[in-house]
Amino acid sequence: MIDSLRQVQVVGALARLAGNGGWAGILAGEPLRGTMDMADARLLVAADVLHEHADGRLEPVELHPWYDDPAVLASGLAAELRRALRHGTGADQPSGDDPDEIVAMGVASQSAAAILADAVLPMLTQTRDRFDDGTACFLDVGVGTGAISEALCRRFPGTRAVGLDVSPEALAMARDRVAAAGLADRVDLRRVSVVDLDDVDRYDLAWMPQVFLARADLERGLDRVLASLRPGGWLVMPVAAPDPGCTPLEAAAVEHDAALRGGGAMSVESALSLLTDAGYADAWDMRGVSQSLTFARKP
């Protein structure tokens, strides 16, 4: 039996409520009034997206980074629906120019920034020291809206970042974001692919998601990032590797999404081998549900 969140009616109902104010009302504990709003809510209750209390109050069943911001939720789901439509009509080339999808990915990146700051950097002692003393330089491959670079520069005063992206739409959003945060002088945004990166011995930490890079570009990118890291600097590479405990549907959904994004799924073992073959040292990993983090340093 298919997971109800994969049903287009459920996704459409959730997107509509998020876009018309109904979801904000639910988060505020307010009752829904409109006939269509209530029909949407009943469908989401049946799909286990919403829980209905005895007094009629509705609340999300699970916590999700998108759920707290109705505008971001609506954008993310609309992008998911458009991506499914492109795929269903045969236009299944990855697209990085959908503003709604860029915004949604930016929200996910905020969670990644927290993981880097709170869980990853404490394990990388020398690198963490440079962030703490404000001398670090961070490379953000596929910068998107700039959420990770902004968060790390806020968290660690003095830290500088370089963000790479090939999407002009994403870079425009990133420029607005870092300018609003007062970080335009510390975050350098470049419209360039990682395969064309020519910095040498500059970065203390690099972030490069595997899922957005075709295999040839990934291998070339690993070479370029290695050259750009300072000796002892670390690469963190998320890989689209479903957790072994996932259901078959969850695993297949991760793999399908990874194929649509251009990089495809990759096992953690393959990622670690790629890192070692590229000349990185001390490759290791942290397993996750829909993706895992792999780590390696420049000797």
Side-chain angles (χ1 to χ4, degrees), residues 102 104-115 140 142-148 151 207:
I102 295 168
M105 292 301 296
V107 174
S109 294
Q110 292 172 12
S111 298
I115 291 171
D140 192 351
V143 67
T145 63
I148 296 178
W207 170 266

Side-chain angles (χ1 to χ4, degrees), residues 82-109:
R82 282 196 293 273
R83 189 163 66 245
L85 180 59
R86 288 197 303 270
H87 183 63
T89 55
D92 54 359
Q93 291 299 312
S95 173
D97 298 331
D98 186 329
D100 285 335
E101 185 168 0
I102 295 168
V103 169
M105 292 301 296
V107 174
S109 294

Side-chain angles (χ1 to χ4, degrees), residues 14-25:
L14 184 55
R16 181 184 173 279
L17 281 177
N20 74 353
W23 190 259

Side-chain angles (χ1 to χ4, degrees), residues 21-22 24-34 37-38 41 55-58:
I26 290 171
L27 295 179
E30 300 170 355
L32 297 176
R33 303 294 184 187
D37 283 359
M38 290 188 286
D55 61 3
R57 182 170 50 88
L58 298 165

Side-chain angles (χ1 to χ4, degrees), residues 223 226 274-281 297-299:
D223 290 339
L226 182 64
L274 273 179
L275 291 168
T276 300
D277 292 345
Y280 291 83
R297 67 174 179 85
K298 181 174 180 175

